[in-house]
Protein backbone atom coordinates (compact mmCIF):
# COMPACT_ATOMS: atom_id res chain seq x y z
CA UNK A 1 0.00 0.00 0.00
CA UNK A 2 1.36 3.43 -1.02
CA UNK A 3 0.98 6.26 1.50
CA UNK A 4 2.64 9.61 0.79
CA UNK A 5 5.13 7.94 -1.56
CA UNK A 6 6.12 5.34 1.00
CA UNK A 7 5.30 1.64 1.04
CA UNK A 8 3.31 0.74 4.11
CA UNK A 9 2.61 -2.84 5.03
CA UNK A 10 -0.95 -3.42 6.24
CA UNK A 11 -1.00 -5.92 9.07
CA UNK A 12 -3.17 -8.93 8.68
CA UNK A 13 -6.23 -9.37 10.85
CA UNK A 14 -5.35 -10.94 14.13
CA UNK A 15 -7.40 -12.69 16.73
CA UNK A 16 -7.66 -9.44 18.66
CA UNK A 17 -8.67 -7.18 15.77
CA UNK A 18 -11.99 -5.32 15.66
CA UNK A 19 -13.52 -7.95 13.38
CA UNK A 20 -13.01 -10.69 15.93
CA UNK A 21 -15.23 -10.65 19.04
CA UNK A 22 -13.52 -13.40 20.98
CA UNK A 23 -9.82 -13.98 21.49
CA UNK A 24 -8.10 -16.75 23.35
CA UNK A 25 -5.47 -16.11 26.00
CA UNK A 26 -2.77 -17.57 23.70
CA UNK A 27 -3.71 -15.27 20.81
CA UNK A 28 -3.95 -12.35 23.18
CA UNK A 29 -0.37 -12.86 24.39
CA UNK A 30 1.00 -13.39 20.86
CA UNK A 31 -0.70 -10.60 18.93
CA UNK A 32 -1.83 -7.90 21.30
CA UNK A 33 0.75 -5.03 21.45
CA UNK A 34 2.23 -4.21 24.79
CA UNK A 35 0.34 -1.60 26.74
CA UNK A 36 -2.99 -2.54 25.19
CA UNK A 37 -5.47 -4.66 27.20
CA UNK A 38 -8.51 -6.18 25.61
CA UNK A 39 -10.38 -8.30 28.19
CA UNK A 40 -11.75 -11.51 26.80
CA UNK A 41 -15.53 -11.46 26.60
CA UNK A 42 -15.50 -15.23 26.80
CA UNK A 43 -13.53 -15.08 30.06
CA UNK A 44 -15.96 -12.53 31.50
CA UNK A 45 -18.97 -14.58 30.46
CA UNK A 46 -17.45 -17.71 32.00
CA UNK A 47 -17.10 -15.94 35.34
CA UNK A 48 -20.68 -14.67 35.18
CA UNK A 49 -22.08 -18.05 34.16
CA UNK A 50 -20.12 -19.74 36.97
CA UNK A 51 -21.69 -17.42 39.52
CA UNK A 52 -25.13 -17.95 38.03
CA UNK A 53 -24.69 -21.73 38.11
CA UNK A 54 -23.51 -21.66 41.74
CA UNK A 55 -26.45 -19.49 42.72
CA UNK A 56 -28.86 -21.73 40.83
CA UNK A 57 -27.36 -24.83 42.47
CA UNK A 58 -27.76 -23.29 45.91
CA UNK A 59 -31.40 -22.50 45.18
CA UNK A 60 -32.00 -26.06 43.99
CA UNK A 61 -30.37 -27.43 47.15
CA UNK A 62 -32.57 -25.19 49.31
CA UNK A 63 -35.67 -26.25 47.40
CA UNK A 64 -34.71 -29.90 47.82
CA UNK A 65 -34.24 -29.43 51.56
CA UNK A 66 -37.59 -27.66 51.74
CA UNK A 67 -39.34 -30.47 49.86
CA UNK A 68 -37.72 -33.10 52.08
CA UNK A 69 -38.71 -31.13 55.18
CA UNK A 70 -42.30 -30.80 53.99
CA UNK A 71 -42.50 -34.52 53.23
CA UNK A 72 -41.09 -35.41 56.65
CA UNK A 73 -43.51 -33.06 58.40
CA UNK A 74 -46.45 -34.46 56.41
CA UNK A 75 -45.48 -38.01 57.41
CA UNK A 76 -45.10 -36.90 61.04
CA UNK A 77 -48.52 -35.23 60.99
CA UNK A 78 -50.13 -38.39 59.59
CA UNK A 79 -48.50 -40.50 62.30
CA UNK A 80 -49.74 -38.11 64.99
CA UNK A 81 -53.29 -38.23 63.62
CA UNK A 82 -53.22 -42.03 63.52
CA UNK A 83 -51.89 -42.42 67.07
CA UNK A 84 -54.22 -39.71 68.38
CA UNK A 85 -57.29 -41.43 66.92
CA UNK A 86 -56.35 -44.67 68.68
CA UNK A 87 -55.64 -42.87 71.96
CA UNK A 88 -58.95 -40.98 71.95
CA UNK A 89 -60.84 -44.24 71.49
CA UNK A 90 -59.30 -45.81 74.58
CA UNK A 91 -58.82 -42.76 76.83
CA UNK A 92 -62.55 -42.06 76.96
CA UNK A 93 -61.98 -38.52 78.19
CA UNK A 94 -59.23 -39.25 80.72
CA UNK A 95 -57.11 -36.14 81.27
CA UNK A 96 -53.33 -35.98 80.87
CA UNK A 97 -50.92 -34.23 83.25
CA UNK A 98 -47.47 -33.21 81.98
CA UNK A 99 -44.75 -33.02 84.64
CA UNK A 100 -41.06 -32.22 84.41
CA UNK A 101 -38.41 -29.57 84.82
CA UNK A 102 -38.65 -26.01 83.58
CA UNK A 103 -37.60 -25.74 79.95
CA UNK A 104 -38.98 -29.12 78.93
CA UNK A 105 -41.62 -27.43 76.78
CA UNK A 106 -44.65 -28.65 78.73
CA UNK A 107 -46.75 -25.70 77.57
CA UNK A 108 -45.78 -25.94 73.90
CA UNK A 109 -46.10 -29.72 73.77
CA UNK A 110 -49.30 -29.60 75.81
CA UNK A 111 -51.01 -27.28 73.36
CA UNK A 112 -50.10 -29.48 70.39
CA UNK A 113 -51.10 -32.63 72.24
CA UNK A 114 -54.45 -31.14 73.20
CA UNK A 115 -55.08 -30.13 69.60
CA UNK A 116 -54.27 -33.63 68.36
CA UNK A 117 -56.62 -35.27 70.88
CA UNK A 118 -59.36 -32.66 70.72
CA UNK A 119 -58.71 -31.83 74.41
CA UNK A 120 -58.61 -28.41 76.04
CA UNK A 121 -55.25 -27.18 77.32
CA UNK A 122 -54.63 -25.77 80.80
CA UNK A 123 -51.41 -24.28 82.16
CA UNK A 124 -51.28 -24.40 85.95
CA UNK A 125 -48.84 -21.48 86.22
CA UNK A 126 -51.13 -19.27 84.12
CA UNK A 127 -54.09 -20.21 86.31
CA UNK A 128 -52.06 -19.41 89.44
CA UNK A 129 -51.22 -15.98 88.03
CA UNK A 130 -54.90 -15.33 87.34
CA UNK A 131 -55.82 -16.44 90.86
CA UNK A 132 -53.13 -14.33 92.55
CA UNK A 133 -53.40 -11.34 90.22
CA UNK A 134 -49.62 -11.22 89.67
CA UNK A 135 -46.85 -13.10 87.94
CA UNK A 136 -45.12 -16.21 89.26
CA UNK A 137 -41.91 -14.21 89.74
CA UNK A 138 -43.77 -11.61 91.83
CA UNK A 139 -45.40 -14.32 93.94
CA UNK A 140 -41.97 -15.77 94.72
CA UNK A 141 -40.52 -12.34 95.44
CA UNK A 142 -43.36 -10.94 97.53
CA UNK A 143 -45.01 -13.99 99.12
CA UNK A 144 -42.35 -16.70 98.94
CA UNK A 145 -42.22 -20.14 97.38
CA UNK A 146 -44.34 -21.74 100.09
CA UNK A 147 -47.35 -19.53 99.28
CA UNK A 148 -46.87 -20.31 95.60
CA UNK A 149 -46.97 -24.06 96.32
CA UNK A 150 -50.21 -23.62 98.25
CA UNK A 151 -51.82 -21.88 95.28
CA UNK A 152 -50.45 -24.58 92.98
CA UNK A 153 -52.15 -27.32 95.00
CA UNK A 154 -55.43 -25.39 95.05
CA UNK A 155 -55.36 -25.04 91.26
CA UNK A 156 -54.63 -28.74 90.72
CA UNK A 157 -57.47 -29.63 93.08
CA UNK A 158 -59.85 -27.57 90.97
CA UNK A 159 -58.56 -29.05 87.71
CA UNK A 160 -58.59 -32.71 88.83
CA UNK A 161 -62.32 -33.42 88.21
CA UNK A 162 -62.20 -32.07 84.66
CA UNK A 163 -62.21 -34.50 81.73
CA UNK A 164 -60.65 -34.16 78.29
CA UNK A 165 -57.86 -31.83 79.41
CA UNK A 166 -54.11 -31.67 78.88
CA UNK A 167 -52.57 -29.95 81.91
CA UNK A 168 -49.05 -28.50 81.97
CA UNK A 169 -47.96 -28.44 85.61
CA UNK A 170 -45.20 -26.39 87.20
CA UNK A 171 -41.74 -27.87 87.59
CA UNK A 172 -42.15 -28.32 91.34
CA UNK A 173 -45.71 -29.67 91.33
CA UNK A 174 -44.44 -33.24 91.54
CA UNK A 175 -42.69 -32.53 94.86
CA UNK A 176 -45.90 -32.69 96.92
CA UNK A 177 -47.70 -35.98 97.48
CA UNK A 178 -50.99 -34.08 97.70
CA UNK A 179 -50.55 -32.93 94.12
CA UNK A 180 -49.97 -36.52 92.99
CA UNK A 181 -53.28 -37.41 94.60
CA UNK A 182 -55.02 -34.86 92.39
CA UNK A 183 -53.18 -35.99 89.27
CA UNK A 184 -54.18 -39.63 89.84
CA UNK A 185 -57.54 -38.77 88.31
CA UNK A 186 -55.70 -38.79 84.96
CA UNK A 187 -52.49 -40.06 83.38
CA UNK A 188 -49.22 -38.38 84.31
CA UNK A 189 -46.39 -38.03 81.78
CA UNK A 190 -42.83 -37.01 82.66
CA UNK A 191 -40.98 -35.05 79.95
CA UNK A 192 -37.34 -35.89 80.67
CA UNK A 193 -34.43 -33.81 79.33
CA UNK A 194 -30.77 -33.19 80.15
CA UNK A 195 -29.96 -30.07 82.22
CA UNK A 196 -27.63 -28.71 79.51
CA UNK A 197 -30.44 -28.96 76.98
CA UNK A 198 -32.91 -27.33 79.36
CA UNK A 199 -30.47 -24.52 80.16
CA UNK A 200 -30.31 -23.53 76.50
CA UNK A 201 -34.08 -23.23 76.38
CA UNK A 202 -34.36 -21.37 79.68
CA UNK A 203 -31.76 -18.80 78.68
CA UNK A 204 -33.20 -18.44 75.18
CA UNK A 205 -36.70 -17.79 76.56
CA UNK A 206 -36.07 -14.32 77.98
CA UNK A 207 -39.81 -13.61 78.23
CA UNK A 208 -40.11 -15.72 81.38
CA UNK A 209 -38.50 -14.81 84.69
CA UNK A 210 -37.71 -18.08 86.45
CA UNK A 211 -36.98 -17.42 90.14
CA UNK A 212 -35.40 -20.79 90.92
CA UNK A 213 -32.60 -20.31 88.37
CA UNK A 214 -32.05 -16.58 88.83
CA UNK A 215 -28.32 -15.86 89.12
CA UNK A 216 -26.98 -13.04 91.27
CA UNK A 217 -24.47 -10.86 89.47
CA UNK A 218 -25.39 -12.19 86.03
CA UNK A 219 -24.96 -8.72 84.53
CA UNK A 220 -21.17 -8.90 85.00
CA UNK A 221 -20.82 -12.52 83.90
CA UNK A 222 -20.00 -13.83 80.44
CA UNK A 223 -22.52 -15.89 78.48
CA UNK A 224 -20.50 -19.04 79.11
CA UNK A 225 -20.42 -18.38 82.86
CA UNK A 226 -24.18 -17.76 82.94
CA UNK A 227 -24.80 -20.96 80.99
CA UNK A 228 -22.60 -23.04 83.30
CA UNK A 229 -24.27 -21.56 86.39
CA UNK A 230 -27.73 -22.28 84.97
CA UNK A 231 -26.78 -25.86 84.16
CA UNK A 232 -25.55 -26.28 87.74
CA UNK A 233 -28.84 -24.98 89.15
CA UNK A 234 -30.88 -27.27 86.94
CA UNK A 235 -28.74 -30.31 87.76
CA UNK A 236 -29.31 -29.71 91.48
CA UNK A 237 -33.06 -29.30 91.00
CA UNK A 238 -33.33 -32.41 88.84
CA UNK A 239 -31.36 -34.48 91.33
CA UNK A 240 -33.71 -33.40 94.11
CA UNK A 241 -36.86 -34.06 92.06
CA UNK A 242 -35.94 -37.11 90.00
CA UNK A 243 -37.47 -39.61 92.40
CA UNK A 244 -40.75 -37.66 92.43
CA UNK A 245 -40.90 -37.37 88.64
CA UNK A 246 -40.38 -41.14 88.44
CA UNK A 247 -43.88 -41.65 89.91
CA UNK A 248 -45.36 -40.60 86.56
CA UNK A 249 -47.24 -43.22 84.56
CA UNK A 250 -45.12 -42.58 81.47
CA UNK A 251 -41.66 -41.15 80.80
CA UNK A 252 -40.92 -39.52 77.44
CA UNK A 253 -37.42 -38.45 76.41
CA UNK A 254 -36.73 -35.09 74.83
CA UNK A 255 -33.49 -36.22 73.18
CA UNK A 256 -33.11 -35.39 69.51
CA UNK A 257 -32.43 -37.95 66.80
CA UNK A 258 -29.48 -36.17 65.13
CA UNK A 259 -25.78 -36.12 65.91
CA UNK A 260 -26.00 -32.72 67.62
CA UNK A 261 -27.22 -32.05 71.14
CA UNK A 262 -30.46 -30.39 70.04
CA UNK A 263 -33.70 -31.53 71.62
CA UNK A 264 -36.47 -33.17 69.63
CA UNK A 265 -38.96 -30.75 68.13
CA UNK A 266 -42.38 -30.46 69.85
CA UNK A 267 -44.23 -32.43 67.15
CA UNK A 268 -41.84 -35.36 67.57
CA UNK A 269 -42.36 -35.24 71.35
CA UNK A 270 -46.14 -35.30 70.83
CA UNK A 271 -45.80 -38.39 68.65
CA UNK A 272 -43.63 -40.06 71.30
CA UNK A 273 -46.25 -39.33 73.95
CA UNK A 274 -49.08 -40.75 71.87
CA UNK A 275 -47.05 -43.83 70.89
CA UNK A 276 -46.07 -44.53 74.52
CA UNK A 277 -49.61 -43.91 75.68
CA UNK A 278 -51.12 -46.37 73.20
CA UNK A 279 -48.47 -48.98 74.00
CA UNK A 280 -49.26 -48.66 77.71
CA UNK A 281 -53.00 -48.90 77.09
CA UNK A 282 -52.54 -52.07 75.00
CA UNK A 283 -50.25 -53.55 77.65
CA UNK A 284 -52.74 -52.88 80.46
CA UNK A 285 -55.60 -54.35 78.40
CA UNK A 286 -53.57 -57.50 77.77
CA UNK A 287 -52.80 -57.87 81.48
CA UNK A 288 -56.49 -57.52 82.33
CA UNK A 289 -57.33 -60.28 79.89
CA UNK A 290 -54.66 -62.53 81.37
CA UNK A 291 -56.10 -62.04 84.85
CA UNK A 292 -59.31 -63.68 83.70
CA UNK A 293 -57.53 -67.04 83.53
CA UNK A 294 -57.04 -68.61 86.93
CA UNK A 295 -55.18 -71.63 88.19
CA UNK A 296 -56.32 -74.08 90.88
CA UNK A 297 -54.26 -73.38 93.95
CA UNK A 298 -55.61 -76.09 96.30
CA UNK A 299 -57.78 -79.06 95.36
CA UNK A 300 -58.68 -79.73 98.99
CA UNK A 301 -60.50 -76.41 99.45
CA UNK A 302 -64.29 -76.28 99.12
CA UNK A 303 -65.63 -74.93 95.81
CA UNK A 304 -66.51 -71.54 97.30
CA UNK A 305 -62.87 -70.94 98.29
CA UNK A 306 -61.13 -72.43 95.26
CA UNK A 307 -59.76 -70.57 92.25
CA UNK A 308 -60.46 -72.31 88.95
CA UNK A 309 -58.22 -72.28 85.91
CA UNK A 310 -60.85 -70.95 83.49
CA UNK A 311 -64.09 -69.15 84.09
CA UNK A 312 -65.71 -71.19 81.31
CA UNK A 313 -64.69 -74.50 82.83
CA UNK A 314 -67.59 -76.98 82.87
CA UNK A 315 -68.79 -79.27 85.64
CA UNK A 316 -67.52 -82.27 83.74
CA UNK A 317 -64.01 -80.86 83.87
CA UNK A 318 -64.21 -80.23 87.60
CA UNK A 319 -66.39 -82.46 89.83
CA UNK A 320 -66.32 -79.85 92.58
CA UNK A 321 -68.06 -77.28 90.39
CA UNK A 322 -71.82 -77.08 90.95
Amino acid sequence: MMLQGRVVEVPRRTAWSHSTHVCSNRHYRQHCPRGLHFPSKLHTWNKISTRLYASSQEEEDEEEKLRAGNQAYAALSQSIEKEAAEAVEHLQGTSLFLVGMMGTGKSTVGKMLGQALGYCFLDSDSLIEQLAGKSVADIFAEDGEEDFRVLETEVLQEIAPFARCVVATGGGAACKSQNWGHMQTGISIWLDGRPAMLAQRVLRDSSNDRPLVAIDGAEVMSEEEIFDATVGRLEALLEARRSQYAYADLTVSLEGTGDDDAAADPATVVLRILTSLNARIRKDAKEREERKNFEIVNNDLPPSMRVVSNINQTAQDDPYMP
Side-chain angles (χ1 to χ4, degrees):
M1 176 184 228
M2 296 294 295
L3 181 61
Q4 296 180 355
R6 300 173 61 183
V7 178
V8 178
E9 182 179 355
V10 178
R12 297 179 180 179
R13 290 179 177 177
T14 61
W16 52 270
S17 66
H18 67 278
S19 62
T20 305
H21 298 285
V22 178
C23 71
S24 65
N25 290 335
R26 179 172 59 83
H27 286 169
Y28 181 85
R29 288 192 301 268
Q30 291 177 351
H31 302 287
C32 184
R34 292 183 180 182
L36 299 180
H37 300 282
F38 296 90
S40 169
K41 293 183 179 181
L42 177 61
H43 179 68
T44 303
W45 172 248
N46 285 340
K47 293 172 68 175
I48 295 175
S49 61
T50 300
R51 294 194 190 101
L52 291 175
Y53 176 79
S55 176
S56 175
Q57 188 66 35
E58 289 177 359
E59 291 179 359
E60 291 181 1
D61 292 342
E62 290 297 326
E63 291 178 358
E64 182 62 28
K65 291 180 181 179
L66 182 60
R67 283 194 295 269
N70 290 338
Q71 292 175 356
Y73 185 79
L76 180 61
S77 299
Q78 292 178 355
S79 299
I80 289 176
E81 292 178 2
K82 178 182 177 181
E83 296 290 339
E86 180 180 349
V88 168
E89 181 180 355
H90 294 98
L91 284 173
Q92 298 181 355
T94 303
S95 293
L96 305 177
F97 293 86
L98 304 181
V99 302
M101 292 283 291
M102 66 183 76
T104 52
K106 296 186 293 291
S107 297
T108 302
V109 171
K111 292 176 183 178
M112 297 181 65
L113 182 60
Q115 184 177 7
L117 295 172
Y119 279 21
C120 67
F121 171 73
L122 299 174
D123 189 308
S124 64
D125 283 353
S126 297
L127 296 176
I128 291 171
E129 290 179 339
Q130 295 178 29
L131 181 63
K134 47 188 171 183
S135 67
V136 171
D138 290 339
I139 297 174
F140 270 79
E142 299 172 9
D143 306 323
E145 183 178 357
E146 186 60 31
D147 286 355
F148 173 81
R149 299 303 175 193
V150 171
L151 293 174
E152 188 174 52
T153 300
E154 291 179 2
V155 167
L156 289 175
Q157 183 178 4
E158 293 296 325
I159 293 175
F162 294 169
R164 298 184 178 278
C165 292
V166 175
V167 182
T169 66
C175 298
K176 292 181 65 174
S177 58
Q178 189 175 358
N179 293 341
W180 279 110
H182 299 318
M183 290 189 288
Q184 283 181 351
T185 58
I187 298 175
S188 54
I189 303 168
W190 174 21
L191 301 185
D192 184 22
R194 292 176 291 105
M197 177 196 305
L198 304 182
Q200 293 178 352
R201 290 184 170 187
V202 170
L203 294 175
R204 186 170 61 244
D205 185 10
S206 58
S207 61
N208 292 326
D209 187 7
R210 303 178 186 270
L212 293 182
V213 293
I215 301 172
D216 296 332
E219 60 276 1
V220 297
M221 299 171 63
S222 65
E223 293 183 0
E224 184 177 356
E225 290 174 337
I226 293 175
F227 176 78
D228 292 340
T230 304
V231 172
R233 293 284 183 90
L234 292 174
E235 286 177 343
L237 282 174
L238 180 58
E239 186 64 26
R241 297 173 177 177
R242 187 182 298 276
S243 59
Q244 282 79 25
Y245 290 146
Y247 287 124
D249 298 308
L250 297 173
T251 300
V252 175
S253 173
L254 300 178
E255 294 293 332
T257 57
D259 296 333
D260 53 9
D261 293 333
D265 61 274
T268 299
V269 177
V270 170
L271 179 59
R272 290 177 183 177
I273 291 174
L274 293 171
T275 302
S276 300
L277 186 61
N278 288 329
R280 177 63 179 270
I281 291 174
R282 289 191 293 268
K283 178 183 176 182
D284 291 346
K286 181 179 179 181
E287 290 179 353
R288 286 193 299 269
E289 288 295 325
E290 290 176 350
R291 292 193 193 103
K292 294 180 181 180
N293 298 324
F294 302 99
E295 295 180 358
I296 300 176
V297 295
N298 194 334
N299 291 329
D300 298 330
L301 293 175
S304 60
M305 298 178 62
R306 292 180 57 231
V307 180
V308 297
S309 60
N310 193 319
I311 195 170
N312 296 322
Q313 191 174 27
T314 61
Q316 291 79 7
D317 297 329
D318 189 348
Y320 289 98
M321 291 290 289

